[in-house]
Amino acid sequence: MTFLVFFCGHAGTGKTTVAKKLIGPLMKASGTPFCLLDKDTLFGGYSAAAMAMLSGDPNDRDSPLFLQHLRDPEYRGLLDTARENLELGVSALVVAPLSREVRERRLFDRAWLGVGADVTLRVVWVHTSDEVARQRIVARANPNDAYKLAHWDEYRQRRFVPSGETCDDLLMFDNTAPTPSDDEALLARIVGEPQPASTMVPPLPV
């Protein structure tokens, strides 16, 4: 059995931190090898070169130009890479915002993903408050975040918060100040049966 696990959420929520923290325990608990596929690692250099040529700003990841022309190809390449690993018997942790795909329930659509019923599919939504996320973005001082910070009010309006039916089978994880028991609970939910949405912790209000 292989696993396809998505760690989704907005900038500053700590998606990559959570994924890196859990990949070792996941391999041990599931008995299967995992690869970590982070969108920024896989496509950051390419997108920087492309945006430098198109707009003169290699750090642009939020303008309409980027969102209209590079976002979807990045995500498709990310999913294609995950699928190739799954076909080789290697489970995948995929780290990317993927907010549109969560909102539209595409990450639960096996036909859209191109994976069969033999793959255990989990989608984790990592979240925290806008204030905490902004503090983390400022602290990490990544040039790719410059557009977000310069257009924060506009950007925060795009910060989709899952609710209602969107939360069905979605594993919500509050990463504001997680404890070891919180990490263990998330691990158990990934390797075990997903809990009904009614038992999940709701996201913090915007």
Side-chain angles (χ1 to χ4, degrees):
M1 176 185 295
T2 52
F3 289 76
L4 175 56
V5 184
F6 292 96
F7 284 86
C8 310
H10 300 296
T13 56
K15 302 179 296 295
T16 301
T17 300
V18 176
K20 288 182 176 180
K21 183 165 50 175
L22 290 184
I23 190 168
L26 272 172
M27 287 192 283
K28 183 176 180 179
S30 66
T32 182
F34 273 81
C35 65
L36 176 67
L37 304 177
D38 188 307
K39 182 182 76 71
D40 290 340
T41 302
L42 287 173
F43 296 104
Y46 172 82
S47 293
M51 290 307 296
M53 180 178 64
L54 293 171
S55 70
D57 182 1
N59 301 314
D60 178 6
R61 297 296 184 278
D62 294 279
S63 71
L65 178 65
F66 176 85
L67 296 175
Q68 291 171 12
H69 297 286
L70 291 183
R71 178 194 185 277
D72 288 350
E74 279 193 356
Y75 283 147
R76 180 49 55 189
L78 187 66
L79 295 175
D80 289 345
T81 305
R83 190 167 52 252
E84 284 189 346
N85 278 275
L86 293 168
E87 291 169 355
L88 295 172
V90 179
S91 295
L93 294 189
V94 177
V95 181
L98 288 161
S99 57
R100 183 190 307 167
E101 288 72 17
V102 170
R103 184 173 62 246
E104 297 175 355
R105 303 284 297 171
R106 290 183 179 181
L107 300 187
F108 297 97
D109 184 343
R110 291 178 180 273
W112 186 81
L113 291 171
V115 300
D118 57 320
V119 176
T120 298
L121 182 60
R122 299 287 186 262
V123 183
V124 180
W125 183 262
V126 183
H127 64 92
T128 188
S129 68
D130 281 1
E131 180 181 355
V132 170
R134 191 178 190 282
Q135 290 172 354
R136 291 175 178 174
I137 291 171
V138 170
R140 71 189 183 188
N142 186 327
N144 291 344
D145 294 323
Y147 188 96
K148 294 182 181 69
L149 294 173
H151 303 81
W152 184 255
D153 288 339
E154 172 193 333
Y155 169 70
R156 69 182 297 274
Q157 294 302 316
R158 294 195 277 113
R159 286 172 65 91
F160 155 75
V161 178
S163 62
E165 294 182 354
T166 307
C167 290
D168 289 351
D169 297 326
L170 193 64
L171 304 183
M172 304 295 294
F173 187 73
D174 184 348
N175 196 38
T176 303
T179 65
S181 61
D182 293 330
D183 297 335
E184 292 170 5
L186 177 59
L187 176 64
R189 292 162 70 188
I190 292 173
V191 298
E193 292 297 322
Q195 296 178 338
S198 60
T199 67
M200 295 178 186
V201 177
L204 295 174
V206 176

